[in-house]
Amino acid sequence: VLNPIEEFWSKLKTGVKREILTTSNSLTPRIIQSAYLFTARDGQGWIRHARSYFPRCILEEPML
């Protein structure tokens, strides 16, 4: 994954899907609760991961 935003959404969705959403639950509080689990370290890791691909991108290497 090159884009740190994709990793952010992946972690958010995992938090939202952790428990089954029933009709008595609301999605918005579940999203907010999941967002509170993010740390600066998460963001730094995602950016570090993306940066590790920069040399390959510059050389236009295939990444699949």
Side-chain angles (χ1 to χ4, degrees):
V1 175
L2 270 181
N3 190 336
I5 296 299
E6 292 173 6
E7 295 191 46
F8 164 84
W9 284 114
S10 176
K11 184 169 180 173
L12 186 81
K13 288 191 304 186
T14 298
V16 169
K17 294 178 179 181
R18 187 160 290 161
E19 296 176 22
I20 296 172
L21 190 63
T22 63
T23 55
S24 63
N25 298 111
S26 178
L27 183 58
T28 303
R30 182 85 59 95
I31 293 170
I32 292 168
Q33 183 181 22
S34 293
Y36 278 118
L37 299 175
F38 292 107
T39 64
R41 189 175 185 156
D42 289 330
Q44 291 166 346
W46 299 329
I47 291 169
R48 189 172 36 257
H49 181 247
R51 288 181 69 192
S52 72
Y53 284 90
F54 286 3
R56 291 175 62 193
C57 289
I58 290 169
L59 296 173
E60 298 181 9
E61 291 181 14
M63 292 192 222
L64 295 176

